[in-house]
mmCIF file of all heavy atoms in Angstrom:
data_model
loop_
_atom_site.group_PDB
_atom_site.id
_atom_site.type_symbol
_atom_site.label_atom_id
_atom_site.label_comp_id
_atom_site.label_asym_id
_atom_site.label_seq_id
_atom_site.Cartn_x
_atom_site.Cartn_y
_atom_site.Cartn_z
ATOM 1 N N SER A 347 -31.208 10.376 -3.054
ATOM 2 C CA SER A 347 -31.969 9.714 -4.064
ATOM 3 C C SER A 347 -33.503 9.829 -3.813
ATOM 4 O O SER A 347 -34.427 9.682 -4.690
ATOM 5 C CB SER A 347 -31.743 8.222 -4.199
ATOM 6 O OG SER A 347 -31.873 7.481 -3.007
ATOM 7 N N TRP A 348 -33.914 10.154 -2.594
ATOM 8 C CA TRP A 348 -35.272 10.437 -2.277
ATOM 9 C C TRP A 348 -35.764 11.711 -2.894
ATOM 10 O O TRP A 348 -36.863 11.923 -3.161
ATOM 11 C CB TRP A 348 -35.405 10.527 -0.834
ATOM 12 C CG TRP A 348 -34.518 11.562 -0.064
ATOM 13 C CD1 TRP A 348 -33.318 11.194 0.497
ATOM 14 C CD2 TRP A 348 -34.685 12.975 -0.046
ATOM 15 N NE1 TRP A 348 -32.559 12.424 0.900
ATOM 16 C CE2 TRP A 348 -33.485 13.454 0.634
ATOM 17 C CE3 TRP A 348 -35.469 13.844 -0.426
ATOM 18 C CZ2 TRP A 348 -33.263 14.823 0.752
ATOM 19 C CZ3 TRP A 348 -35.367 15.200 -0.217
ATOM 20 C CH2 TRP A 348 -34.240 15.701 0.443
ATOM 21 N N MET A 349 -34.806 12.599 -3.317
ATOM 22 C CA MET A 349 -35.274 14.022 -3.709
ATOM 23 C C MET A 349 -35.776 13.939 -5.253
ATOM 24 O O MET A 349 -35.015 13.351 -6.124
ATOM 25 C CB MET A 349 -33.931 14.894 -3.752
ATOM 26 C CG MET A 349 -34.253 16.208 -4.264
ATOM 27 S SD MET A 349 -32.617 17.218 -4.128
ATOM 28 C CE MET A 349 -31.836 16.620 -5.651
ATOM 29 N N ASP A 350 -36.899 14.418 -5.492
ATOM 30 C CA ASP A 350 -37.475 14.393 -6.782
ATOM 31 C C ASP A 350 -37.880 15.849 -7.294
ATOM 32 O O ASP A 350 -38.304 16.091 -8.326
ATOM 33 C CB ASP A 350 -38.704 13.447 -6.924
ATOM 34 C CG ASP A 350 -39.764 13.851 -5.962
ATOM 35 O OD1 ASP A 350 -39.784 14.818 -5.261
ATOM 36 O OD2 ASP A 350 -40.886 13.039 -6.031
ATOM 37 N N VAL A 351 -37.492 16.815 -6.437
ATOM 38 C CA VAL A 351 -37.763 18.259 -6.732
ATOM 39 C C VAL A 351 -36.651 18.958 -6.032
ATOM 40 O O VAL A 351 -36.221 18.779 -5.002
ATOM 41 C CB VAL A 351 -39.127 18.753 -6.173
ATOM 42 C CG1 VAL A 351 -39.275 20.099 -6.363
ATOM 43 C CG2 VAL A 351 -40.284 17.968 -6.726
ATOM 44 N N TRP A 352 -36.121 19.953 -6.839
ATOM 45 C CA TRP A 352 -35.117 21.034 -6.330
ATOM 46 C C TRP A 352 -35.280 22.134 -7.152
ATOM 47 O O TRP A 352 -35.629 22.257 -8.212
ATOM 48 C CB TRP A 352 -33.750 20.373 -6.207
ATOM 49 C CG TRP A 352 -32.935 20.311 -7.460
ATOM 50 C CD1 TRP A 352 -33.307 19.859 -8.706
ATOM 51 C CD2 TRP A 352 -31.669 20.676 -7.581
ATOM 52 N NE1 TRP A 352 -32.311 19.866 -9.489
ATOM 53 C CE2 TRP A 352 -31.255 20.287 -9.004
ATOM 54 C CE3 TRP A 352 -30.677 21.069 -6.839
ATOM 55 C CZ2 TRP A 352 -29.932 20.507 -9.427
ATOM 56 C CZ3 TRP A 352 -29.332 21.263 -7.128
ATOM 57 C CH2 TRP A 352 -29.030 20.992 -8.465
ATOM 58 N N SER A 353 -34.988 23.403 -6.390
ATOM 59 C CA SER A 353 -34.930 24.628 -7.088
ATOM 60 C C SER A 353 -34.068 25.544 -6.381
ATOM 61 O O SER A 353 -33.578 25.192 -5.320
ATOM 62 C CB SER A 353 -36.356 25.197 -7.208
ATOM 63 O OG SER A 353 -36.882 25.303 -5.854
ATOM 64 N N VAL A 354 -33.983 26.860 -6.846
ATOM 65 C CA VAL A 354 -33.258 27.983 -6.171
ATOM 66 C C VAL A 354 -34.183 29.013 -5.586
ATOM 67 O O VAL A 354 -35.057 29.325 -6.161
ATOM 68 C CB VAL A 354 -32.207 28.519 -7.100
ATOM 69 C CG1 VAL A 354 -31.655 29.763 -6.448
ATOM 70 C CG2 VAL A 354 -31.255 27.609 -7.498
ATOM 71 N N ARG A 355 -33.996 29.347 -4.318
ATOM 72 C CA ARG A 355 -34.678 30.511 -3.819
ATOM 73 C C ARG A 355 -33.719 31.627 -3.643
ATOM 74 O O ARG A 355 -32.659 31.532 -2.965
ATOM 75 C CB ARG A 355 -35.246 30.140 -2.367
ATOM 76 C CG ARG A 355 -36.235 29.070 -2.560
ATOM 77 C CD ARG A 355 -36.906 28.844 -1.255
ATOM 78 N NE ARG A 355 -38.105 27.864 -1.277
ATOM 79 C CZ ARG A 355 -38.591 27.283 -0.292
ATOM 80 N NH1 ARG A 355 -38.285 27.744 0.977
ATOM 81 N NH2 ARG A 355 -39.714 26.527 -0.505
ATOM 82 N N HIS A 356 -34.147 32.705 -4.274
ATOM 83 C CA HIS A 356 -33.392 33.864 -4.240
ATOM 84 C C HIS A 356 -33.819 34.763 -3.000
ATOM 85 O O HIS A 356 -34.928 35.145 -3.058
ATOM 86 C CB HIS A 356 -33.462 34.821 -5.413
ATOM 87 C CG HIS A 356 -33.134 34.103 -6.724
ATOM 88 N ND1 HIS A 356 -31.843 33.670 -6.960
ATOM 89 C CD2 HIS A 356 -33.842 33.495 -7.722
ATOM 90 C CE1 HIS A 356 -31.767 32.970 -8.119
ATOM 91 N NE2 HIS A 356 -33.028 32.872 -8.588
ATOM 92 N N THR A 357 -33.075 34.777 -2.060
ATOM 93 C CA THR A 357 -33.400 35.427 -0.694
ATOM 94 C C THR A 357 -32.247 36.377 -0.355
ATOM 95 O O THR A 357 -31.270 35.949 0.322
ATOM 96 C CB THR A 357 -33.720 34.465 0.466
ATOM 97 O OG1 THR A 357 -32.645 33.620 0.583
ATOM 98 C CG2 THR A 357 -34.893 33.609 0.056
ATOM 99 N N GLY A 358 -32.364 37.593 -0.589
ATOM 100 C CA GLY A 358 -31.318 38.537 -0.144
ATOM 101 C C GLY A 358 -30.012 38.325 -0.956
ATOM 102 O O GLY A 358 -29.916 38.084 -2.105
ATOM 103 N N LYS A 359 -28.998 38.290 -0.142
ATOM 104 C CA LYS A 359 -27.546 38.244 -0.767
ATOM 105 C C LYS A 359 -27.232 36.850 -1.117
ATOM 106 O O LYS A 359 -26.402 36.535 -2.044
ATOM 107 C CB LYS A 359 -26.493 38.759 0.368
ATOM 108 C CG LYS A 359 -25.207 38.858 -0.203
ATOM 109 C CD LYS A 359 -24.225 39.453 0.815
ATOM 110 C CE LYS A 359 -22.797 39.253 0.190
ATOM 111 N NZ LYS A 359 -21.771 39.840 1.236
ATOM 112 N N VAL A 360 -27.670 35.740 -0.418
ATOM 113 C CA VAL A 360 -27.291 34.483 -0.652
ATOM 114 C C VAL A 360 -28.524 33.627 -1.161
ATOM 115 O O VAL A 360 -29.566 33.623 -0.613
ATOM 116 C CB VAL A 360 -26.859 33.748 0.663
ATOM 117 C CG1 VAL A 360 -26.594 32.286 0.476
ATOM 118 C CG2 VAL A 360 -25.739 34.433 1.273
ATOM 119 N N ASP A 361 -28.281 32.881 -2.345
ATOM 120 C CA ASP A 361 -29.315 31.995 -2.876
ATOM 121 C C ASP A 361 -29.358 30.743 -2.096
ATOM 122 O O ASP A 361 -28.329 30.375 -1.501
ATOM 123 C CB ASP A 361 -29.008 31.735 -4.323
ATOM 124 C CG ASP A 361 -29.205 32.960 -5.074
ATOM 125 O OD1 ASP A 361 -30.040 33.769 -4.859
ATOM 126 O OD2 ASP A 361 -28.470 32.987 -6.187
#
Side-chain angles (χ1 to χ4, degrees):
S347 60
W348 52 265
M349 183 179 77
D350 61 3
V351 175
W352 76 315
S353 63
V354 173
R355 291 187 177 169
H356 304 291
T357 56
K359 185 179 177 183
V360 178
D361 292 327

